[in-house]
Amino acid sequence: MSKQNRAYKFRLYPTKEQEELINKTIGSARFIYNQMLADKIKHYSETGSKLNNTPAQYKSQYEWLKEVDSLALANAQMNLQTAYNNFFRDKKIGFPKFKAKRKSKLSYTTNNQNGTIDIVDSKYIKLPKLKEVRCKIHRQIPDTHIIKSATISKTGSGKYFISILTEYEKEDVIANLDKNKALGLDYSSPSFYVDSQGIEADYPRFYRNAQTALAKEQRKLSHMQYKSKNYLKQKIKVAKLHEHLANQRLDWIHKLTNELSNQWDYICVEDINMKSMAQSLKLGKSTNDNGFGMFRTILQYKMNDLGKQLVKIDKWFPSSKTCRYCGYVNSELTLSDRTWICECGEIIDRDINAAINIRNVGLAA
Ligand SMILES: [Zn+2]
């Protein structure tokens, strides 16, 4: 037996008052994060030492903080503390950034304490301070799952969602794994990935069409007068397209991961931090947005459930630059080189070569 986590996401339909309180809580979590960060920075510049402040210290000065779920504030504090500790471990990282109103994610997280978060009558979710909020529960959470926490979020088009994190004991599946059923995946920006058989996982056409439509509407938005009536209307249109695209992508990822986890016993991928990769490759938004990180997370739990293995290999392994036949490392290889000829005489196709190397290294590990 081992402990596992699972997330369940549902649409929320709050009343006007609940909506106001949710917005207020989201704002308060951001406020306390920024306020505590400002004081930490000030304290550090004056003394050079760590300041361990808590949300409770701010409640007499900012009375309205008492009206919102205190666990939302505690979670904001915890997130800040993690980022702050990183700074003390390595000063080069710099202080955590302030959360700007327009750029930061509109959400807050709260925890379940003896049933403060619960599903009622299969159509409401009980939440601290909010009481029962209407919810579309399209997937049952099994009785064996314990609710740990919930994140309430608001999208750009004004919809509300809840993501419930559960914990459960899982019987360890002992599967007879076959090393011949091993697949390597090499992340690749335009086509998602190339596998060790040379097959590309390409986004379906409808997804690409939606992407083009979104880009067009976004261009329109950028030419409108900021905050004008038309601008605000267009902004919601863009947000809706965004959400539609994200849903389509998630459906596609679910289908893809079902197929992969059924067909393969081992799947090997690189352990890449998507953010640092986007920055280092200067590919900009598309890398962060195309969902490869989410794909890996979903694939991981599906493989786990079947007793199979997702193997993550060291991100520093030069999978593209290493010849899979002789092991020679071509350090001259650049991103634009799609094929190269190795010293051993083999012609190397960059992507397949990388995927096969990832598979071999993963299997050896
Ligand atoms: Zn070679």
Side-chain angles (χ1 to χ4, degrees):
M1 298 286 265
S2 58
K3 277 194 167 54
Q4 301 274 332
N5 294 105
R6 183 72 51 93
Y8 294 85
K9 193 174 180 183
F10 305 121
R11 173 101 183 256
L12 287 177
Y13 299 91
T15 63
K16 263 270 158 294
E17 287 107 275
Q18 287 172 332
E19 206 178 312
E20 270 169 32
L21 187 52
I22 291 173
N23 293 342
K24 197 171 180 178
T25 313
I26 291 171
S28 300
R30 187 182 60 239
F31 173 84
I32 201 72
Y33 184 102
N34 286 339
Q35 202 66 30
M36 290 176 69
L37 175 59
D39 288 340
K40 281 180 194 298
I41 292 174
K42 186 162 170 268
H43 182 87
Y44 180 77
S45 68
E46 285 165 4
T47 67
S49 65
K50 243 184 194 178
L51 173 68
N52 289 316
N53 42 359
T54 68
Q57 295 164 344
Y58 294 83
K59 284 186 180 174
S60 53
Q61 194 183 349
Y62 307 102
E63 287 257 329
W64 42 270
L65 288 175
K66 292 179 190 164
E67 294 164 30
V68 303
D69 183 354
S70 59
L71 287 167
L73 306 180
N75 278 296
Q77 176 196 9
M78 241 172 56
N79 290 341
L80 172 61
Q81 199 61 38
T82 308
Y84 187 58
N85 287 340
N86 282 341
F87 164 72
F88 274 91
R89 200 167 44 229
D90 180 4
K91 299 260 162 54
K92 280 195 300 261
I93 296 171
F95 271 112
K97 299 263 181 296
F98 287 98
K99 289 193 187 297
K101 193 171 181 179
R102 278 182 58 209
K103 278 191 180 163
S104 62
K105 207 173 162 252
L106 297 175
S107 70
Y108 74 89
T109 298
T110 183
N111 306 79
N112 184 22
Q113 291 182 325
N114 296 318
T116 51
I117 303 175
D118 202 6
I119 290 172
V120 184
D121 297 338
S122 303
K123 54 183 174 189
Y124 296 98
I125 289 185
K126 189 172 88 178
L127 288 164
K129 295 269 182 185
L130 288 163
K131 308 216 170 69
E132 288 168 12
V133 184
R134 268 297 301 269
C135 179
K136 193 179 173 201
I137 297 165
H138 58 272
R139 206 149 57 107
Q140 286 303 318
I141 298 177
D143 290 339
T144 49
H145 286 224
I146 300 161
I147 295 175
K148 302 299 283 183
S149 65
T151 298
I152 292 91
S153 60
K154 182 185 181 182
T155 68
S157 68
K159 290 180 193 144
Y160 291 86
F161 288 91
I162 187 166
S163 179
I164 296 176
L165 186 74
T166 70
E167 190 179 86
Y168 62 102
E169 291 278 354
K170 195 175 135 301
E171 200 96 41
D172 294 321
V173 182
I174 299 159
N176 248 335
L177 300 185
D178 181 356
K179 290 213 168 184
N180 290 317
K181 290 188 180 176
L183 187 72
L185 305 179
D186 179 40
Y187 173 75
S188 119
S189 180
S191 68
F192 211 62
Y193 68 68
V194 175
D195 74 20
S196 48
Q197 298 181 306
I199 298 169
E200 291 186 8
D202 220 345
Y203 280 115
R205 181 188 289 273
F206 62 78
Y207 182 83
R208 296 203 175 272
N209 290 345
Q211 257 180 330
T212 315
L214 175 62
K216 196 177 133 204
E217 298 301 335
Q218 247 161 351
R219 250 191 327 272
K220 259 195 213 164
L221 179 69
S222 69
H223 290 126
M224 286 176 171
Q225 198 196 337
Y226 180 57
K227 280 198 167 172
S228 67
K229 212 173 164 187
N230 282 335
Y231 174 90
L232 294 173
K233 236 165 94 183
Q234 183 69 10
K235 205 178 157 205
I236 290 177
K237 191 173 177 184
V238 166
K240 278 188 176 159
L241 276 173
H242 247 301
E243 288 159 25
H244 181 62
L245 202 64
N247 288 338
Q248 280 190 326
R249 192 179 59 196
L250 188 61
D251 283 346
W252 178 69
I253 287 176
H254 271 298
K255 262 192 218 132
L256 189 62
T257 48
N258 280 345
E259 282 168 20
L260 288 170
S261 58
N262 282 322
Q263 194 179 351
W264 302 95
D265 284 0
Y266 296 92
I267 296 178
C268 311
V269 293
E270 277 175 300
D271 192 5
I272 313 170
N273 174 332
M274 298 308 288
K275 249 187 202 152
S276 71
M277 189 160 126
Q279 280 153 6
S280 67
L281 295 183
K282 293 205 167 60
L283 291 173
K285 238 183 149 202
S286 66
T287 308
N288 278 327
D289 274 353
N290 82 356
F292 196 71
M294 191 194 293
F295 163 79
R296 281 195 325 187
T297 307
I298 293 173
L299 184 60
Q300 169 95 67
Y301 82 67
K302 287 186 179 168
M303 295 291 278
N304 269 354
D305 279 358
L306 296 169
K308 298 176 170 187
Q309 282 197 36
L310 182 77
V311 187
K312 290 180 186 162
I313 70 160
D314 189 330
K315 65 177 168 181
W316 302 119
F317 172 71
S319 57
S320 303
K321 294 179 177 176
T322 306
C323 169
R324 69 174 183 273
Y325 300 101
C326 71
Y328 170 75
V329 178
N330 179 357
S331 50
E332 244 102 86
L333 194 73
T334 66
L335 262 178
S336 56
D337 297 331
R338 305 317 302 171
T339 56
W340 52 284
I341 299 170
C342 181
E343 287 183 334
C344 70
E346 294 287 348
I347 300 166
I348 312 287
D349 179 298
R350 182 201 184 88
D351 293 330
I352 305 171
N353 182 61
I356 292 174
N357 277 329
I358 289 167
R359 183 195 65 195
N360 293 347
V361 169
L363 270 184

